[in-house]
Amino acid sequence: MSKTIISVKNLCKNYGDFKAVKDISFDVYEGEIFGLLGPNGAGKSTTLEIIETLRKKTSGQVIVDGLDLDTQPDEIKKIIGVQLQTSGFYPNLTLLELIQLFSGLYNKKVDAMELLKKVNLQDKAKNKSKELSGGQKQRFSIATTLINEPKIVFLDEPTTGLDPQARRNLWDLIKEIRDNGATVILTTHYMDEAEQLCGRIAIMDEGKIIQLDSPDKMIDDLVATGFERPKQVKSASLEDVFIHLTGREMRDE
Ligand code: ADP
Ligand code: MG
């Protein structure tokens, strides 16, 4: 049996009269990469931000590693890493300075160079954050989630807007974070990414979870209904062509 590290029961969130999250329940298991998928406006970010203690819920129960969101939010904050919007970084501070700043806020000593090495940004340590490319910014923002050595890492659309090379590079990084013992919960609009990374996914639509399972099981279930792709599928995709032609290595270094 997998150990539950996040338990969400009957969670509801209203913004005024609008019901953004409608009575959802799900568990996240320790050590898995759990994906929250769904069209824009489905309620993914709202759900994550409630669990991250950053947004108030309307009703329901959330337990994170045995801690009750209602009574122990400060304890929850200590064991989670939350990816900040990269726009929130002071553009004129260097990466080393930013890590020192965050480590002060977390009251946690870190080896900044070691952390930058983890995300392959050691060569950019003395660069200002405004000098980073999109992929480098995303990697740096993931590094900042690791400062407090969190048990659970939350990533909201970590690869949106990245080129295929940078996306693959981030997949490796996210897997590494999981392999080092953390639980990862992420949102994505890329189905190939969810299939590659996530042990289980919940699909949300209009505030509800409409399906929760492993990607494999969901695909098998759909096929079992008699569903077939309308066109003969080729054994390579255009993305395969792109990677084949341009290689897997990152370009923005
Ligand atoms: P997702 O991340 O799945 O795109 P969100 O959780 O950001 O969805 O938003 C869910 C719904 O709640 C959307 O319709 C959005 O417009 C609405 N919403 C989000 N934040 C607020 C807010 N602060 N006030 C009012 N409505 C909001
Ligand atoms: Mg969102």
Side-chain angles (χ1 to χ4, degrees):
M1 261 302 282
S2 317
K3 190 184 160 220
T4 295
I5 193 157
I6 298 173
S7 162
V8 173
K9 286 205 170 73
N10 306 115
L11 181 67
C12 295
K13 173 67 182 181
N14 304 341
Y15 294 111
D17 290 340
F18 177 71
K19 295 183 188 329
V21 176
K22 302 171 184 160
D23 193 24
I24 63 169
S25 300
F26 64 98
D27 288 342
V28 177
Y29 302 146
E30 193 168 62
E32 76 173 334
I33 301 178
F34 186 89
L36 211 47
L37 274 51
N40 282 330
K44 305 178 298 293
S45 297
T46 298
T47 302
L48 288 194
E49 286 165 16
I50 289 169
I51 304 170
E52 292 161 357
T53 77
L54 300 177
R55 212 177 265 266
K56 288 250 169 298
K57 61 183 163 61
T58 301
S59 62
Q61 191 194 37
V62 177
I63 307 284
V64 180
D65 198 33
L67 303 164
D68 192 325
L69 178 70
D70 290 331
T71 54
Q72 298 161 289
D74 293 338
E75 298 303 308
I76 292 177
K77 281 193 187 104
K78 286 182 195 155
I79 60 155
I80 64 171
V82 176
Q83 188 182 14
L84 300 168
Q85 293 300 308
T86 49
S87 54
F89 297 136
Y90 296 100
N92 286 314
L93 292 186
T94 68
L95 303 193
L96 282 177
E97 287 165 345
L98 279 166
I99 291 178
Q100 302 304 350
L101 178 73
F102 284 121
S103 95
L105 294 176
Y106 283 121
N107 201 12
K108 192 106 185 172
K109 273 214 165 15
V110 284
D111 183 338
M113 239 5 230
E114 200 49 45
L115 191 62
L116 288 175
K117 263 190 209 145
K118 259 189 204 162
V119 296
N120 202 19
L121 283 176
Q122 62 275 25
D123 297 342
K124 299 282 173 190
K126 299 215 165 90
N127 282 80
K128 295 175 177 174
S129 71
K130 68 177 179 193
E131 295 163 359
L132 299 182
S133 71
Q136 290 167 341
K137 277 198 182 118
Q138 289 293 66
R139 294 216 297 287
F140 182 66
S141 82
I142 292 181
T144 64
T145 71
L146 303 176
I147 289 174
N148 61 334
E149 294 170 8
K151 280 190 174 179
I152 309 166
V153 177
F154 293 84
L155 306 172
D156 199 351
E157 296 189 31
T159 65
T160 293
L162 298 185
D163 71 32
Q165 280 87 356
R167 231 152 55 84
R168 278 165 173 70
N169 181 280
L170 269 192
W171 295 354
D172 292 341
L173 176 60
I174 293 167
K175 284 183 193 158
E176 211 175 290
I177 292 170
R178 188 268 321 272
D179 292 344
N180 287 332
T183 304
V184 179
I185 169 163
L186 59 81
T187 68
T188 179
H189 287 302
Y190 301 107
M191 297 305 129
D192 59 336
E193 179 165 300
E195 226 181 315
Q196 273 279 328
L197 287 178
C198 300
R200 294 186 311 140
I201 57 180
I203 298 186
M204 280 188 86
D205 196 15
E206 296 180 351
K208 291 193 189 122
I209 291 181
I210 52 177
Q211 206 170 137
L212 194 163
D213 220 318
S214 68
D216 221 34
K217 176 75 169 39
M218 284 191 190
I219 294 167
D220 287 348
D221 285 352
L222 180 63
V223 171
T225 66
F227 179 93
E228 271 183 60
R229 282 198 186 183
K231 269 192 267 172
Q232 176 66 38
V233 179
K234 297 183 184 178
S235 46
S237 66
L238 185 58
E239 178 141 335
D240 295 326
V241 173
F242 182 88
I243 292 289
H244 182 73
L245 290 172
T246 60
R248 273 202 63 159
E249 75 279 6
M250 302 273 292
R251 292 310 168 73
D252 51 10
E253 306 300 300

